[in-house]
Amino acid sequence: MIAGLAPARRRSAGQIALFAPALAVGALMLAPLFYLVLRALEADAATVVSLLLRPRTFELLVNTAALAAGVLVLTTLIALPLAWLTTRTDLPGRRILNVLAVLPLAVPGYVMAYALIGLSGNYGFMNAVFGVTLPRPEGWLGATLALSLYTYPYLYLNLRAAFSGLDQTLEESARALGCGPREVFTRVTLPHLMPAMMAGWLVIGLYTIGDFGAVALMRYEAFSYALYLAYSSAFDRLYAAWIALILVVIALAVVWWEARLRADVRLARTGSGSGVRTRRAALPPAARTAAYAFSGTVVLAALGLPIAVLSFWLLREPIWPVLPDLLRSFGQSLSVAAPASLLAALFALPIAVLAVRFPSPLSSLVNRLAFVGYAIPALAFALAFVFLALGGAPFLYQTYGLLVLVYALAFLALALGPIRAALYQARPSLEDSARALGYGPIGTFIHVVLPCIRRGVTAGLVLVFVVAMKELPIAFLLSPAGFRPLAIQLFSRTSEGMLIAAAPYAAAIIAFSGLTVAAVLRHEGRLE
Amino acid sequence: MNRMDRSRCGLIAIAVLAAMPAAAQDLTLYSGRGETLVAPIVAAFTEETGINVDVRYAGTSELAVLLQEEGGATPADLFWSQDPGALGAVADQLATLPDAITELVPEALRDDENRWIATSGRQRVIVASTERVDEAEMPASMLDLTDEAYRGRVGWAPTNGSFQLHITAMREALGEEETREWLEAMIANEPVVFSNNSGIVQGIADGEADFGLVNNYYLPRFLASDPEFPVTSAHFEDGDIGNLLSVAAIGITASSDQQEEAAAFVEFLLSAQAQQYFASQVNEYPVTRSVVLRSDQPTLESLEASAPDIDLNALSDLEGTLELLREVGLL
């Protein structure tokens, strides 16, 4: 079943055995979109035009673009200097700073929004502790802040890798040719960072377009929030279907645009010889102070703020009475996240094997399809599944099974990455030897391939698991009755202004994700 | 992937799915009412009858739309709504309630054809900041809130079911055109948009708005935990549309195969115990006569003088209200 371990004449049969499930997964990705389009097209043209050509649609478009722009600028302003400080300078404490810079990943956007809201107001943290009443953060500024403080680590991680991989001889040559430091940065360093920058921007941009929790709590009318409003309070779901379609188009356009920009870039080293080892710049005392002030502010805002505000609200009332509810919620989140991560890994295996062992136009198509669920804003993806379940599979409607399936598809890309990377490193010759020594395809897979890629599979499982544990928008639309995961409990309490009641749920989410992010960082550290 | 692996995964999947809590004899309740109010009463019902209730919490109109979309395939046995309007909108999907239940409640508080029944009463009120608003500034009518004096100071929640019912009542009492003009004048007066009633009350305390249009029972909850809470509530002048008297109401779906258990739940909500809970814990008005009230708690009858004269049965055109809200750009 895996190339190299099947004799040549049986290859086609093995490929079919792989293509069948992989194509099925691809079809599962596209089927909901088909139902979404079908539903949207039920309207007559006049209704659609009057729905879409309202000033409100334009307003939403502008709001969404403004939010994405704000988040991209702010995350870049945070991540670029941080990445430079930790990779290119001799700043004492840079190792700790590196960990602290990544940890905000554990604080999802809606928790960050909760923290910012809990900071303000008469009863808020600032007034109680410092006697200063801040206005409640909201709108563009509030949403930009909440999303940026949560998402900048995605950019930071990319930039850090790019800084480490960048050949410094290039910069030295530029200097030798007479460029000043600023010119070296803009003409040499920055262009070489661009691919990493764009990869980070893509992830952050898609997240921002699709975010629902933070923009809803900040009452910012971006597209995804409007989609939720249209879904929850328009009598027919037509308008919701059209907004979802627009969101899908925006997301796919962003992906396409990024891929096009990336395709034109050629940055690899040419010529012989190897690059030099990284040399770290020695910071003069003044610059060092500035560096500490900057990174201190970032860490304080992205980590200190949620932890301080949360502790403040948490200590207002004893936690014991809500503990049973909290545990049940945790269990419910677990009961979906665990099977979803398993299913995602199962989906990812045949697709990864196809990509690595049988590269062909069809296998690269299947691999692209695997990213559809990740690229499409979660609310739109979930809404498409509502239409699919109601229109084509009523037995799935409002079931745990459907929620698990949609999670697995939405986060398939997260599982696919590490598994594919592990397979690239597993040598096909090992599999051939196993076959030669008498193992069948199953035995080879279990005893040879699986142990080789175990680490990749585990990484994929963990990634999907963590993300599914704190997922909000999909759970919002597809939760079966009685299902109240942590994210929904937190969201509904915060939106009712009940910050004390929301605190234990926010703490549980942060504690859980914090532990997992720390575990992943340690794991990474060991690999290095 | 090979067959053995797949069957193993299949077994795991089945085991995981089987472990999910979805027993067939459980009741499924769609609740447009908030979890903080509903969960304790549901727990009390389960304790008394042993019948488990799975609750789907969402906006009232969202659930009404969902019920329409699901039709006979809905998993819901019961729909508990913030207002009679949403139940009216799905009335053709509801079963006729048994007489033993309907006779507990006055005729004005249930459907003409007994497909839904009130569970508790409430009134729309205006809340205001005690710090930034003085007596003289309180408006006599809700329609006055479009005045320049209230620019940027009024909080409202256009996505909330109670607000939407209020608009339905306005359309019924004042007509389509006048309602639209009021909404447009309000929007031009830059109201502060919230997502729900609690948010409005909290927002006034936090200085985001000075006035707010909410149901009567939200503020007392804040005052109970903090008597100094800087928000007060008031009625408009007698008979003003702003003083709309309404009810939360419940119906049983016709497609439910557990009619008896569902009826038991409705009956439980009308029991002295539950009505007492609504009156004392939720600060709503009881709809049966079996409740002993505190001296400071008004009865539904005593409120009728202040309320506009509107038949609850006439408030089923939720669809028209949502259409209007969408047209003026609020949704």
Side-chain angles (χ1 to χ4, degrees):
Chain A
M1 74 174 279
I2 301 216
L5 47 92
R9 65 194 145 79
R10 287 183 51 200
R11 216 168 242 190
S12 58
Q15 283 196 36
I16 290 169
L18 282 171
F19 268 118
L23 282 173
V25 171
L28 271 176
M29 277 304 180
L30 293 181
L33 298 184
F34 170 75
Y35 272 91
L36 181 64
V37 173
L38 206 67
R39 186 57 190 263
L41 292 181
E42 271 174 23
D44 56 293
T47 318
V48 173
V49 168
S50 74
L51 267 178
L52 293 185
L53 293 185
R54 305 193 297 161
R56 188 179 159 80
T57 310
F58 182 68
E59 219 173 276
L60 293 173
L61 208 56
V62 171
N63 280 354
T64 308
L67 181 66
V71 172
L72 290 183
V73 168
L74 190 55
T75 49
T76 309
L77 289 179
I78 295 173
L80 187 58
L82 268 187
W84 182 75
L85 282 174
T86 56
T87 54
R88 286 300 189 86
T89 70
D90 64 345
L91 188 72
R94 55 180 185 271
R95 256 174 250 271
I96 298 170
L97 180 60
N98 179 38
V99 174
L100 291 177
V102 182
L103 270 182
L105 275 183
V107 188
Y110 54 87
V111 177
M112 200 62 91
Y114 165 90
L116 287 168
I117 292 167
L119 192 67
S120 65
N122 251 351
Y123 292 80
F125 176 79
M126 286 304 277
N127 197 21
V129 179
F130 299 109
V132 186
T133 307
L134 297 177
R136 183 190 195 275
E138 59 177 4
W140 179 82
L141 187 64
T144 301
L145 270 179
L147 287 174
S148 301
L149 289 178
Y150 165 50
T151 55
Y152 84 81
Y154 289 114
L155 187 58
Y156 169 79
L157 285 172
N158 273 302
L159 286 176
R160 196 176 58 130
F163 266 122
S164 313
L166 173 56
D167 186 355
Q168 280 185 331
T169 48
L170 280 171
E171 290 164 326
E172 271 165 25
S173 313
R175 243 172 310 217
L177 290 169
C179 290
R182 184 169 305 165
E183 235 178 325
V184 172
F185 183 75
T186 53
R187 292 182 58 183
V188 179
T189 315
L190 205 54
H192 279 84
L193 293 178
M194 271 332 262
M197 197 90 100
M198 282 196 290
W201 281 346
L202 179 67
V203 173
I204 294 173
L206 286 177
Y207 186 87
T208 305
I209 294 168
D211 176 74
F212 161 68
V215 294
L217 292 178
M218 290 297 178
R219 303 177 200 144
Y220 185 67
E221 301 224 319
F223 250 112
S224 53
Y225 182 49
L227 171 58
Y228 174 68
L229 282 189
Y231 167 79
S232 60
S233 52
F235 234 79
D236 57 64
R237 293 270 163 79
L238 214 61
Y239 187 43
W242 275 98
I243 296 187
L245 265 189
I246 295 176
L247 264 174
V248 170
V249 170
I250 293 177
L252 294 183
V254 168
V255 173
W256 174 81
W257 184 64
E258 195 265 352
R260 238 188 72 131
L261 284 181
R262 209 160 21 113
D264 298 337
V265 182
R266 291 273 176 283
L267 295 169
R269 279 170 46 83
T270 54
S272 57
S274 62
V276 292
R277 266 186 77 84
T278 313
R279 262 193 300 278
R280 296 181 180 276
L283 289 178
R288 197 173 278 188
T289 313
Y292 280 132
F294 170 76
S295 42
T297 311
V298 171
V299 171
L300 216 56
L303 274 182
L305 167 85
I307 291 173
V309 172
L310 203 61
S311 317
F312 166 75
W313 287 104
L314 211 52
L315 295 173
R316 300 293 298 272
E317 265 177 26
I319 193 173
W320 307 116
V322 292
L323 215 51
D325 280 342
L326 187 65
L327 282 177
R328 188 169 42 214
S329 247
F330 189 78
Q332 291 196 324
S333 294
L334 213 62
S335 74
V336 170
S341 57
L342 274 179
L343 195 59
L346 282 178
F347 284 167
L349 273 174
I351 296 175
V353 172
L354 278 178
V356 178
R357 297 283 189 261
F358 301 99
S360 73
L362 192 56
S363 79
S364 70
L365 172 74
V366 171
N367 271 271
R368 289 226 174 102
L369 283 181
F371 279 82
V372 167
Y374 189 71
I376 290 178
L379 266 185
F381 198 56
L383 183 66
F385 267 99
V386 170
F387 292 145
L388 174 126
L390 284 170
F395 57 91
L396 268 180
Y397 184 64
Q398 277 202 29
T399 58
Y400 273 88
L402 182 65
L403 189 58
V404 169
L405 175 70
V406 175
Y407 273 166
L409 290 172
F411 304 131
L412 175 58
L414 295 178
L416 187 56
I419 294 178
R420 216 163 45 180
L423 264 174
Y424 273 118
Q425 288 165 356
R427 280 182 299 165
S429 55
L430 263 183
E431 295 155 24
D432 290 336
S433 318
R435 288 302 299 261
L437 290 170
Y439 272 126
I442 301 166
T444 310
F445 185 78
I446 293 177
H447 295 292
V448 179
V449 181
L450 220 44
C452 284
I453 61 169
R454 200 189 55 212
R455 194 165 259 178
V457 175
T458 313
L461 277 173
V462 168
L463 268 178
V464 176
F465 179 67
V466 174
V467 174
M469 276 299 282
K470 52 187 187 186
E471 201 282 336
L472 178 68
I474 293 176
F476 223 99
L477 255 60
L478 295 178
S479 281
F483 180 70
R484 309 285 287 166
L486 293 171
I488 286 195
Q489 299 272 28
L490 168 63
F491 180 84
S492 69
R493 280 166 179 73
T494 308
S495 69
E496 283 198 42
M498 304 189 318
L499 293 169
I500 297 178
Y505 297 97
I509 291 172
I510 292 191
F512 176 79
S513 343
L515 284 177
T516 341
V517 171
V520 170
L521 281 177
R522 259 195 71 190
H523 178 79
E524 264 198 352
R526 230 178 305 150
L527 282 184
E528 277 168 15
Chain B
M1 162 157 338
N2 56 55
R3 201 187 303 158
M4 196 172 135
D5 263 68
R6 208 170 314 151
S7 61
R8 201 176 285 176
C9 298
L11 279 178
I12 293 173
I14 289 168
V16 167
L17 287 174
M20 307 271 172
Q25 66 275 24
D26 291 358
L27 280 175
T28 298
L29 167 67
Y30 279 11
S31 175
R33 310 207 59 192
E35 187 180 3
T36 37
L37 307 179
V38 173
I41 204 81
V42 166
F45 172 74
T46 302
E47 189 160 315
E48 193 172 299
T49 60
I51 302 171
N52 202 23
V53 185
D54 287 327
V55 191
R56 182 180 185 82
Y57 296 101
T60 287
S61 50
E62 174 178 351
L63 290 172
V65 176
L66 196 63
L67 275 172
Q68 289 195 327
E69 185 125 355
E70 291 169 348
T74 181
D77 300 297
L78 295 143
F79 177 26
W80 195 3
S81 159
Q82 281 281 19
D83 62 72
L87 281 160
V90 295
D92 55 344
Q93 283 177 249
L94 299 177
T96 307
L97 295 166
D99 294 342
I101 290 179
T102 53
E103 64 197 17
L104 295 170
V105 166
E107 212 178 324
L109 299 181
R110 49 183 145 100
D111 175 41
D112 288 340
E113 296 172 41
N114 287 332
R115 291 166 301 185
W116 54 259
I117 190 164
T119 56
S120 54
R122 68 275 291 283
Q123 191 165 29
R124 296 289 287 176
V125 294
I126 182 166
V127 284
S129 163
T130 54
E131 292 163 342
R132 296 178 302 279
V133 174
D134 56 55
E135 199 79 20
E137 275 190 298
M138 295 302 282
S141 164
M142 186 168 95
L143 304 180
D144 296 342
L145 290 175
T146 56
D147 288 352
E148 187 59 34
Y150 303 106
R151 178 171 295 275
R153 300 175 70 191
V154 182
W156 70 0
T159 51
N160 176 265
S162 299
F163 175 85
Q164 291 168 356
L165 179 82
H166 206 163
I167 299 304
T168 310
M170 273 184 97
R171 292 168 55 224
E172 179 69 20
L174 309 175
E176 199 74 29
E177 262 326 288
E178 201 172 325
T179 308
R180 177 194 298 270
E181 280 161 21
W182 182 77
L183 283 171
E184 282 169 348
M186 280 298 287
I187 294 168
N189 220 10
E190 298 162 12
V192 185
V193 176
F194 292 87
S195 56
N196 50 44
N197 286 296
S198 315
I200 295 179
V201 177
Q202 181 71 55
I204 292 175
D206 284 341
E208 291 178 71
D210 296 344
F211 302 89
L213 296 171
V214 299
N215 289 347
N216 68 290
Y217 51 87
Y218 287 93
L219 179 58
R221 278 201 281 151
F222 286 90
L223 289 171
S225 64
D226 175 11
E228 303 292 301
F229 197 77
V231 179
T232 183
S233 81
H235 290 301
F236 297 100
E237 63 190 8
D238 278 0
D240 188 72
I241 185 70
N243 297 337
L244 180 72
L245 203 56
S246 172
V247 292
I250 194 166
I252 300 173
T253 57
S255 57
S256 164
D257 49 10
Q258 300 180 87
Q259 297 287 334
E260 255 172 61
E261 290 85 350
F265 185 77
V266 178
E267 210 168 339
F268 181 77
L269 293 184
L270 298 171
S271 68
Q273 180 194 353
Q275 291 291 308
Q276 188 71 58
Y277 167 80
F278 292 137
S280 55
Q281 301 297 312
V282 191
N283 292 293
E284 289 182 288
Y285 312 126
V287 291
T288 64
R289 281 163 222 287
S290 56
V291 183
V292 185
L293 293 173
R294 287 197 314 261
S295 57
D296 61 332
Q297 287 176 317
T299 59
L300 263 187
E301 284 89 347
S302 72
L303 293 165
E304 266 161 20
S306 66
D309 186 22
I310 289 171
D311 177 7
L312 291 178
N313 266 289
L315 300 182
S316 65
D317 187 21
L318 175 61
E319 186 165 2
T321 295
L322 294 175
E323 183 73 43
L324 176 62
L325 291 175
R326 186 155 47 164
E327 278 169 24
V328 298
L330 281 175
L331 292 180

